[in-house]
Amino acid sequence: MIVGRNVRYLRTRLGLTQEELAARVSLRGRHHPTASYISYIESGERDPRLSVVRSLARALHVKPWILLAELTENVRFWDGYLSLTPEQKREVQRVVDWKLQGRS
């Protein structure tokens, strides 16, 4: 359910239709999912495999963990984070890692 909400949020934020997202996703390098499959994921009717989560993340230009997190809990935070450059995101991740290791 979380993955589906996050996929829908990110897809609409990028201005993509389900058909356009499906065309960007490559499963096992052989084929693309259908728009109805994307719809099933977004509605929570399908729980995608990790390989699908990875492919969706690539198509949505995010790390796979972002699809697994409670992304919609704080939309303003995620909008800000997702608008950062890759270098800025790495810096945020370094600071979070540093804090998690108990350093102040």
Side-chain angles (χ1 to χ4, degrees):
M1 190 68 146
I2 291 170
V3 172
R5 281 194 316 250
N6 292 341
V7 168
R8 177 179 288 134
Y9 170 74
L10 292 166
R11 176 182 60 77
T12 57
R13 187 174 182 277
L14 291 173
L16 298 174
T17 65
Q18 290 175 335
E19 293 83 10
E20 291 167 330
L21 177 58
R24 290 181 176 201
V25 175
S26 178
L27 301 177
R28 293 182 219 111
R30 293 191 295 266
H31 66 282
H32 300 282
T34 62
S36 62
Y37 182 68
I38 300 297
S39 176
Y40 287 137
I41 291 171
E42 289 182 357
S43 67
E45 294 178 47
R46 292 280 197 285
D47 195 14
R49 293 176 174 232
L50 185 56
S51 61
V52 174
V53 171
R54 284 188 198 122
S55 294
L56 284 166
R58 264 193 307 278
L60 293 166
H61 309 291
V62 296
K63 299 286 185 186
W65 67 265
I66 290 176
L67 295 181
L68 303 171
E70 281 290 343
L71 187 62
T72 56
E73 288 293 314
N74 188 338
V75 173
R76 283 183 41 209
F77 168 81
W78 286 107
D79 277 344
Y81 178 81
L82 294 171
S83 67
L84 296 174
T85 66
E87 295 80 25
Q88 291 169 323
K89 288 178 185 174
R90 281 192 291 277
E91 182 61 25
V92 168
Q93 291 167 356
R94 276 194 291 272
V95 170
V96 169
D97 288 341
W98 185 69
K99 287 288 192 182
L100 289 173
Q101 292 174 8
R103 299 177 183 143
S104 300

